[in-house]
Amino acid sequence: MMDHVILTVSNLERSVAYYEKALAALGATECIDYPGSHDHPHLIGFSRKNGNHFFWLKEGRPDPEAIHIGIAAESQKAVDAFYHAAIAAGGREKVAPSAQLQYGEDYYATWVLDPDGHDIEVVNKTGRVG
């Protein structure tokens, strides 16, 4: 089971602004600034109200081809909300929210490319789609 992800981004300030808007649609409204130290990078973490900072950003040289992230949404409506928030915040559409029956009868997802081109999937698997 995954606990957290650290994503390397080219411009920390720009990516924090983007993810604050996009992840808020999924209820991830808490943000923490971890200043780091000589042996640990500066990180910005996002969490839902449970305090588990599951999504972290650090500045560096991103490699969008090397990673795919899938984030669970509580509903199909939340998938749609993330998509609209991400696009409004400057993301680019890869796949609009829709049923992805090739993955299962309950699979409803969207894929959006963030400002660095990272492929971010948001998926809901709790209700039959068709």
Side-chain angles (χ1 to χ4, degrees):
M1 175 175 296
M2 183 177 71
D3 179 69
H4 66 276
V5 170
I6 298 174
L7 190 64
T8 302
V9 298
S10 64
N11 181 314
L12 190 59
E13 185 176 316
R14 176 187 69 180
S15 291
V16 168
Y18 171 81
Y19 281 107
E20 281 179 330
K21 294 173 185 169
L23 293 175
L26 300 176
T29 56
E30 296 184 10
C31 190
I32 187 171
D33 188 332
Y34 179 81
S37 63
H38 55 59
D39 61 342
H40 199 285
H42 176 215
L43 300 171
I44 303 293
F46 296 87
S47 77
R48 294 182 175 109
K49 293 187 189 299
N50 64 8
N52 176 31
H53 291 85
F54 69 97
F55 191 82
W56 295 84
L57 300 174
K58 72 175 183 175
E59 194 159 20
R61 196 181 101 221
D63 184 2
E65 297 295 320
I67 192 165
H68 167 87
I69 297 171
I71 300 172
E74 294 181 4
S75 67
Q76 293 173 23
K77 186 176 181 178
V79 171
D80 296 343
F82 170 84
Y83 170 81
H84 292 295
I87 297 301
R92 293 174 289 138
E93 177 185 300
K94 182 175 177 185
V95 177
S98 59
Q100 300 297 320
L101 302 178
Q102 69 274 25
Y103 301 127
E105 64 184 18
D106 294 342
Y107 209 105
Y108 185 85
T110 188
W111 287 261
V112 176
L113 302 175
D114 80 355
D116 283 307
H118 292 106
D119 179 1
I120 309 298
E121 175 184 1
V122 173
V123 60
N124 175 263
K125 302 177 190 175
T126 62
R128 179 169 245 157
V129 295

